[in-house]
Amino acid sequence: MIFCARILPKSPETFIIFRVQYTGMKKIYAALLISFLCQIANAQCGIGQSQVIVTIVPDLYPQETSWSIHDGLTGALIDTGLTNSDTICIASGRCINFTIFDAYGDGICCAYGTGSYIVTLSGDTVAKGGQFGHFETTYFNCPPGHDCSIPLTAVKDTMTAPHPETWYIFTPDSTGIYNIGTCDLGNTCDTKIYIYDHCDHLLVVEDNTGTTFYNDDGCLNYQSFISAAMPAGHIYYIRIGDYDTSCAGHTINWQIQFAGPIRGCTDTASCNYNPLATVSDSSCVYPPSPLCPAPDLAVDQDLLRSSMYSDNVVV
């Protein structure tokens, strides 16, 4: 079942609901019909406003699905729903994000029904899908750097984040140690630095969940500092943030510096081979040196051979 609600202008007193029962292939035609009826039923937005249409086709477990639209800058809730489609008006150019959730964590396609979702802005598709985990978020109408999907480009230099929670993408041009920090750059608010190795399905929170590198208060005056070994060509997403909202209304100065190559054992036959090392030193050790780390798992071949057996299991 798909249904669409609300005739604009949006108010709790004025709404209409269309319902269509469907099975099998009829679902696709029902979705198209409902989308068409929703657009007819909802009046055009006023001057200076844009129309956002959310169309949901649920899977076989619609009770697991929900969605929300938030202001991308303030986080204020604009609209929310379950498996209902909806149409709303927003100020043209307003930065917003759409998030769809699945309580079980398997999205709405395709193991248990062919579900899907589409979000349009003034007739243009800005988000669509169905295959995701617990959630999927899309930002639109937002400036570059607002989230990891539209990051600014970071370079080995001093930069200024226009506001807290600014995102950058950084790809090291050579393997080595990189110092990334907000220290001694004139910042007067409490900063944080988050570095991730992925963007898709990223859960953005205030702690180090999902980070590859993270620091809060690594140097004086509540500034942050990370010294990280990074391989050349690897993509990192850097989030320049703050503690609570202490940097609200402030820019944040930060920098990336190349501290030099990684020194270590470059011999693959050694016990302490460092795959990131580009400069060899005298640290290599070899068996049977007591400095070689013990294996995490040792296999007793005789015991394994004597304990093996075959069986037939009916399930």
Side-chain angles (χ1 to χ4, degrees):
M1 178 184 298
I2 312 173
F3 48 102
C4 168
R6 295 193 179 118
I7 297 179
L8 298 177
K10 186 174 175 181
S11 70
E13 294 79 24
T14 308
F15 65 93
I16 187 168
I17 296 177
F18 296 102
R19 293 192 178 185
V20 175
Q21 297 284 353
Y22 59 84
T23 57
M25 290 300 295
K26 293 181 180 179
K27 180 193 313 184
I28 298 175
Y29 299 107
L32 295 174
L33 173 62
I34 291 301
S35 179
F36 174 72
L37 291 175
C38 287
Q39 294 182 55
I40 293 177
N42 289 279
Q44 295 297 315
C45 296
I47 297 175
Q49 293 187 317
S50 299
Q51 187 180 68
V52 177
I53 299 176
V54 178
T55 304
I56 305 292
V57 178
D59 61 5
L60 299 179
Y61 295 89
Q63 70 276 9
E64 297 173 357
T65 304
S66 62
W67 58 268
S68 65
I69 295 177
H70 287 81
D71 185 290
L73 299 178
T74 67
L77 179 64
I78 298 174
D79 197 12
T80 187
L82 299 175
T83 53
N84 60 293
S85 300
D86 206 353
T87 302
I88 63 173
C89 286
I90 64 168
S92 296
R94 185 180 186 183
C95 171
I96 63 176
N97 69 67
F98 170 84
T99 302
I100 186 166
F101 304 91
D102 182 81
Y104 191 75
D106 60 352
I108 56 176
C109 183
C110 300
Y112 301 100
T114 310
S116 64
Y117 71 88
I118 296 177
V119 182
T120 63
L121 174 66
S122 299
D124 296 325
T125 298
V126 293
K128 64 179 181 179
Q131 291 182 291
F132 56 92
H134 285 280
F135 69 95
E136 187 165 66
T137 299
T138 302
Y139 288 81
F140 45 98
N141 268 356
C142 297
H146 179 74
D147 70 285
C148 66
S149 66
I150 46 172
L152 297 171
T153 300
V155 295
K156 291 183 291 183
D157 203 345
T158 299
M159 294 156 282
T160 299
H163 51 76
E165 303 304 312
T166 297
W167 289 81
Y168 293 82
I169 188 170
F170 177 63
T171 305
D173 56 7
S174 57
T175 298
I177 301 296
Y178 289 83
N179 293 336
I180 302 170
T182 59
C183 310
D184 303 319
L185 294 174
N187 296 307
T188 58
C189 58
D190 190 348
T191 64
K192 284 186 182 183
I193 299 176
Y194 311 76
I195 302 179
Y196 306 86
D197 63 1
H198 65 289
C199 174
D200 291 341
H201 310 302
L202 182 63
L203 179 62
V204 179
V205 292
E206 293 301 307
D207 57 27
N208 63 344
T209 301
T211 61
T212 304
F213 307 104
Y214 166 85
N215 183 256
D216 178 25
D217 302 342
C219 48
L220 296 177
N221 300 319
Y222 304 106
Q223 302 309 303
S224 300
F225 178 79
I226 292 172
S227 185
M230 294 181 168
H234 191 88
I235 295 175
Y236 293 94
Y237 297 90
I238 302 176
R239 172 184 164 205
I240 303 300
D242 60 351
Y243 175 76
D244 198 10
T245 57
S246 66
C247 293
H250 293 263
T251 58
I252 300 175
N253 299 318
W254 70 290
Q255 63 182 0
I256 300 178
Q257 295 177 316
F258 181 68
I262 300 170
R263 299 178 179 274
C265 180
T266 58
D267 187 350
T268 57
S270 69
C271 298
N272 60 332
Y273 165 66
N274 185 346
L276 291 180
T278 56
V279 177
S280 181
D281 59 15
S282 58
S283 65
C284 294
V285 293
Y286 302 89
S289 170
L291 296 178
C292 287
D296 294 332
L297 176 65
V299 178
D300 187 323
Q301 296 183 13
D302 293 335
L303 178 60
L304 177 63
R305 186 181 298 109
S306 63
S307 62
M308 293 175 63
Y309 69 95
S310 63
D311 197 0
N312 294 322
V313 179
V314 178
V315 294

